[in-house]
Amino acid sequence: MSISQNLEQFKLEIHENVTLVAVSKTKPNKAILEAYQCGQRIFGENKVQEMVEKWQSLPNDIEWHMIGHLQRNKVKYMAEFVSLIHGVDSLRLLKEINKQGKKVDRAIPCLLQMHIAEEDTKFGLSKDELFQLIASDDFQQMQNVEIKGLMGMATFTKNENQVRKEFKFLKECFTDLQSSLPKINTLSMGMSGDYKIAIEEGSTMVRIGSSIFGARNYH
Ligand SMILES: *Cc1c(COP(=O)(O)O)cnc(C)c1O
């Protein structure tokens, strides 16, 4: 199936209050433009340099989401245009985003990433760390970041119960966080392999790559 057919299929499947982030990492501009012609405006990348290059060469009404693990020294390259940073997993990183946001005079929208998987390889905060972070003086004083909600990645497994359990936990963290930050509205969970379960468990934003653009080739 083509990119446009895949996107049409997703639009039918996903309820309108779930936002679709088309994950275009490693894919050429041509593929992104094909999705753009079908009305898709939100794209996700996991490398800052690649995202900057695409931002410079593609239509300026595209919203670019940084979904990957982010190094502090890269924040400055995207501070002026990034629409949402999904993977904020430390106070140090958030401080740097705040600093760069101040330089470009905006509040940069962010999601805090939770560690919900069994795998150690995945990044993210524990529930305790989440609440410590938001209770800290440093956090309270930040003017140039805007926390929109939470993001998480489930274990890569065929065991649906495991995945569901992890998404339920993330949703529970989100609900608890709402009592401290009532304005949060974004729960980014679900990828090509597990988005159906994620939506059943309360996702408001899914990040879909291979099911739209086809398998990725890594070199
Ligand atoms: C690559 C990636 C995705 C998309 O993965 P697919 O399985 O291709 O849909 C989603 N989220 C993050 C954080 C990713 O790095």
Side-chain angles (χ1 to χ4, degrees), residues 160-172:
E160 288 197 7
N161 291 333
Q162 175 74 26
V163 171
R164 191 178 295 282
K165 192 178 83 186
E166 292 171 4
F167 286 149
K168 270 193 202 303
F169 172 68
L170 184 56
K171 169 72 190 216
E172 182 189 298

Side-chain angles (χ1 to χ4, degrees), residues 162-208:
Q162 175 74 26
V163 171
R164 191 178 295 282
K165 192 178 83 186
E166 292 171 4
F167 286 149
K168 270 193 202 303
F169 172 68
L170 184 56
K171 169 72 190 216
E172 182 189 298
C173 293
F174 181 79
T175 306
D176 290 353
L177 187 62
Q178 272 177 323
S179 20
S180 309
L181 303 177
K183 284 192 202 144
I184 59 169
N185 58 13
T186 305
L187 183 53
S188 170
M189 61 183 197
M191 323 190 351
S192 293
D194 57 20
Y195 71 91
K196 285 184 184 155
I197 303 174
I199 291 171
E200 284 167 12
E201 297 305 331
S203 172
T204 72
M205 184 175 276
V206 291
R207 309 174 311 270
I208 309 288

Side-chain angles (χ1 to χ4, degrees), residues 23 25 67 151 153 191-192 207-210 216:
V23 176
K25 61 190 186 195
I67 63 168
M151 178 269 210
M153 290 169 84
M191 323 190 351
S192 293
R207 309 174 311 270
I208 309 288
S210 44
R216 283 177 296 273

Side-chain angles (χ1 to χ4, degrees), residues 40-219:
Q40 181 66 27
R41 290 295 179 271
I42 306 177
F43 293 90
E45 292 284 335
N46 71 339
K47 298 249 162 35
V48 175
Q49 191 184 335
E50 185 177 340
M51 187 171 82
V52 170
E53 285 167 10
K54 288 174 173 174
W55 166 65
Q56 286 167 339
S57 54
L58 287 162
N60 61 15
D61 61 344
I62 289 179
E63 291 177 32
W64 294 103
H65 287 203
M66 174 44 59
I67 63 168
H69 186 65
L70 183 57
Q71 288 168 310
R72 275 176 297 143
N73 61 0
K74 301 280 172 65
V75 175
K76 56 178 174 286
Y77 302 114
M78 61 177 187
E80 71 172 286
F81 73 90
V82 66
S83 289
L84 185 63
I85 301 177
H86 289 234
V88 181
D89 61 354
S90 72
L91 183 61
R92 284 173 85 201
L93 175 58
L94 198 60
K95 276 178 168 172
E96 175 64 17
I97 298 169
N98 186 60
K99 181 175 147 193
Q100 298 301 332
K102 192 171 178 132
K103 283 191 192 163
V104 295
D105 195 26
R106 60 186 292 241
I108 299 178
C110 294
L111 302 177
L112 295 169
Q113 182 172 0
M114 302 292 294
H115 187 272
I116 60 170
E118 281 188 336
E119 299 146 40
D120 294 338
T121 49
K122 287 184 177 148
F123 297 97
L125 302 160
S126 69
K127 196 170 179 181
D128 283 349
E129 288 167 340
L130 168 69
F131 284 96
Q132 276 164 24
L133 188 157
I134 67 147
S136 69
D137 288 343
D138 280 329
F139 177 72
Q140 312 266 340
Q141 278 157 26
M142 287 181 195
Q143 304 281 333
N144 294 89
V145 293
E146 186 187 2
I147 300 298
K148 292 285 197 184
L150 297 177
M151 178 269 210
M153 290 169 84
T155 305
F156 187 70
T157 171
K158 286 203 166 68
N159 182 345
E160 288 197 7
N161 291 333
Q162 175 74 26
V163 171
R164 191 178 295 282
K165 192 178 83 186
E166 292 171 4
F167 286 149
K168 270 193 202 303
F169 172 68
L170 184 56
K171 169 72 190 216
E172 182 189 298
C173 293
F174 181 79
T175 306
D176 290 353
L177 187 62
Q178 272 177 323
S179 20
S180 309
L181 303 177
K183 284 192 202 144
I184 59 169
N185 58 13
T186 305
L187 183 53
S188 170
M189 61 183 197
M191 323 190 351
S192 293
D194 57 20
Y195 71 91
K196 285 184 184 155
I197 303 174
I199 291 171
E200 284 167 12
E201 297 305 331
S203 172
T204 72
M205 184 175 276
V206 291
R207 309 174 311 270
I208 309 288
S210 44
S211 293
I212 294 174
F213 294 108
R216 283 177 296 273
N217 294 313
Y218 287 107
H219 301 285

